């Protein structure tokens, strides 16, 4: 079994590489290191079963030979990253996805694509089911990401219909764990580092906006089941345990044993979703999957990782 992981040096991609290796697969990582880190793969140096190719997938991907799966996890994912790289974000969701489909077709592989809950935008339906079409501003500050991900789903499902490519789409809801960049602007790395420094937790708005958080191991269990049992239609992969950011700060404070109060630093950004919670009935019935790791358990290795690895 040989897999290609596009975006394999990123947060989720690098954990996926570890999982595939543990399952006995050979892995080709394709990554331009734009938001990923070489250090995420440093422990694999000298492993003959891993090949690392530094490459922008917006150009045709020069991987040769058969593959069982092309996992496409290449895209900026944090709001700070895609605000800095809006054109690149749209390109990796369009040109990059085209090249991922063509690689999978050429190599005889199934394409498994990392989509996102952002396809639902600022949802008017709660919780979000896969058949909800979303509420996205096509010209707003988040459009480069949301629309690139929506286009990617349209491209992949059209490619599958027109050319018979086997494909699976996992819509990821906020996922956390070791290796998320501390400065990427997402709430768990930000709160974790603020707690470890004994600082206040900074939020946009008043912290009453809700999110739900999935530990990366749970997410990857879901993706492996999706690869094995998916029906080609999108599946939500997320944890339905919804909480406000104020409640999240409380839990992080308990697990870290420190941390200050919640302070608002700015109004909510434009088009920031106020609520986010997956309906995972489809993942439960189709894949037999549901998340197992409670937040306080997943936060322990995450905080431990920041203690050891973050820049001082
Ligand atoms: N982390 C989450 O909570 C979350 C939520 C929803 C969806 N996702 C999706 O999961 C995937 C991985 O997210 P992540 O959190 O690991 O982000 P990340 O930024 O850590 O990883 C993305 C990886 O893709 C690489 N990449 C970006 N553009 C590329 C290009 N043109 N060519 C080659 N490589 C490129 C980056 O260098 C990085 O290694 C993304 O597609 C993201 O949209 C993540």
């Amino acid at each position: 079994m040989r897999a290609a992981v596009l975006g394999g040096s990123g947060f989720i991609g690098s954990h996926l590489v570890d999982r595939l290796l543990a399952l006995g697969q050979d892995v080709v990582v394709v990554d331009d290191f734009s938001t990923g880190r070489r250090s995420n793969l440093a422990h694999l140096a000298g492993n003959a079963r891993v090949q690392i190719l530094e490459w922008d997938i917006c150009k045709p991907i020069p991987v040769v030979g058969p593959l069982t799966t092309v996992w496409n996890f290449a895209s900026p994912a944090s709001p700070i990253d895609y605000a800095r790289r809006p054109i690149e974000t749209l390109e990796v969701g369009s040109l990059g996805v085209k090249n991922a489909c063509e690689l999978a077709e050429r190599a005889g592989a199934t394409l498994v694509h990392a989509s996102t809950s952002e396809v639902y935008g600022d949802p008017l339906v709660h919780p979000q089911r896969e058949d909800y079409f979303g509420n996205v501003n096509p010209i707003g500050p988040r459009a480069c990401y949301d629309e690139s991900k929506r286009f990617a789903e349209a491209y992949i499902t059209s490619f599958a219909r027109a050319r018979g490519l086997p494909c699976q789409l996992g819509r990821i809801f906020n996922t956390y764990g070791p290796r998320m960049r501390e400065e990427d602007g997402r709430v768990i790395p930000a709160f974790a580092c603020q707690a470890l420094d004994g600082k206040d937790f900074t939020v946009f708005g008043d912290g009453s906006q809700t999110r739900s958080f999935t530990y990366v191991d749970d997410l990857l269990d879901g993706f492996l089941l999706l690869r094995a049992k998916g029906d080609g239609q999108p599946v939500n992969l997320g944890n339905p345990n919804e909480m406000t950011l104020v409640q999240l700060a409380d839990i992080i404070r308990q697990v870290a044993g420190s941390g200050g109060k919640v302070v608002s630093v700015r109004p909510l950004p434009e088009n920031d979703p106020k609520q986010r919670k997956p309906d995972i009935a489809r993942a439960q019935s189709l894949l037999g999957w549901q998340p197992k790791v409670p937040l306080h358990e997943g936060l322990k290795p995450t905080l431990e990782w920041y203690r050891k690895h973050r820049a001082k």
Side-chain angles (χ1 to χ4, degrees):
M1 301 255 270
R2 180 171 177 252
V5 181
L6 317 181
S9 82
F11 157 51
I12 300 176
S14 64
H15 285 284
L16 174 63
V17 171
D18 290 342
R19 286 289 280 269
L20 297 174
L21 289 169
L23 291 170
Q25 303 192 20
D26 290 349
V27 179
V28 186
V29 171
V30 183
D31 202 299
D32 68 355
F33 298 99
S34 50
T35 61
R37 286 198 290 213
R38 285 171 208 281
S39 57
N40 288 341
L41 301 174
H43 59 290
L44 302 176
N47 185 330
R49 289 177 34 231
V50 188
Q51 185 195 340
I52 299 177
L53 177 64
E54 181 165 354
W55 192 261
D56 175 357
I57 67 157
C58 296
K59 297 182 290 186
I61 304 166
V63 172
V64 289
L67 295 164
T68 35
T69 313
V70 173
W71 301 87
N72 182 25
F73 283 70
S75 170
S78 89
I80 286 189
D81 288 336
Y82 58 72
R84 274 193 204 123
R85 307 171 58 82
I87 307 294
E88 290 86 346
T89 303
L90 282 157
E91 287 179 354
V92 77
S94 49
L95 299 172
V97 163
K98 169 183 189 288
N99 291 323
C101 288
E102 289 177 358
L103 170 63
E105 183 178 56
R106 201 168 67 235
T110 293
L111 177 71
V112 182
H113 175 73
S115 189
T116 171
S117 56
E118 301 293 338
V119 299
Y120 302 120
D122 187 3
L124 304 176
V125 167
H126 197 68
Q128 292 81 52
R129 279 174 29 149
E130 289 86 348
D131 55 7
Y132 175 52
F133 295 158
N135 176 40
V136 174
N137 175 355
I139 55 166
R142 304 171 72 99
C144 61
Y145 184 68
D146 300 4
E147 295 293 13
S148 114
K149 290 292 190 176
R150 289 168 67 94
F151 177 85
E153 287 200 4
Y155 191 92
I156 292 166
T157 48
S158 300
F159 201 101
R161 277 194 287 269
R163 309 245 292 242
L165 178 74
C167 73
Q168 304 297 344
L169 302 169
R171 288 184 180 158
I172 306 174
F173 284 66
N174 287 332
T175 298
Y176 71 98
R179 302 185 191 158
M180 289 182 92
R181 284 171 16 250
E182 153 186 10
E183 69 291 358
D184 84 1
R186 289 183 273 190
V187 66
I188 291 212
F191 278 9
C193 294
Q194 287 168 338
L196 293 177
D197 292 337
K199 291 185 178 157
D200 287 339
F201 299 107
T202 51
V203 294
F204 297 150
D206 61 3
S208 64
Q209 63 272 42
T210 67
R211 296 290 183 271
S212 51
F213 300 97
T214 315
Y215 189 57
V216 63
D217 287 357
D218 275 337
L219 180 80
L220 291 177
D221 288 345
F223 263 100
L224 291 168
L225 285 164
L226 180 69
R227 169 66 180 88
K229 298 185 179 178
D231 61 3
Q233 297 298 306
V235 178
N236 287 339
L237 294 173
N239 193 322
N241 180 21
E242 183 184 14
M243 68 193 67
T244 66
L245 296 192
V246 172
Q247 289 168 323
L248 171 68
D250 276 342
I251 298 174
I252 292 190
R253 197 185 283 114
Q254 283 161 27
V255 177
S258 69
K261 57 185 185 309
V262 174
V263 290
S264 179
V265 284
R266 268 194 257 156
L268 272 187
E270 192 183 345
N271 304 137
D272 200 47
K274 286 167 241 4
Q275 285 186 310
R276 200 40 89 54
K277 172 178 170 166
D279 180 320
I280 59 164
R282 221 172 100 67
Q284 284 170 318
S285 60
L286 183 70
L287 312 179
W289 176 86
Q290 62 184 22
K292 296 189 201 105
V293 182
L295 183 58
H296 62 274
E297 287 300 330
L299 282 171
K300 287 179 195 164
T302 308
L303 282 156
E304 196 45 41
W305 188 85
Y306 286 112
R307 270 196 193 98
K308 277 200 194 131
H309 292 273
R310 74 202 174 112
K312 290 281 177 293

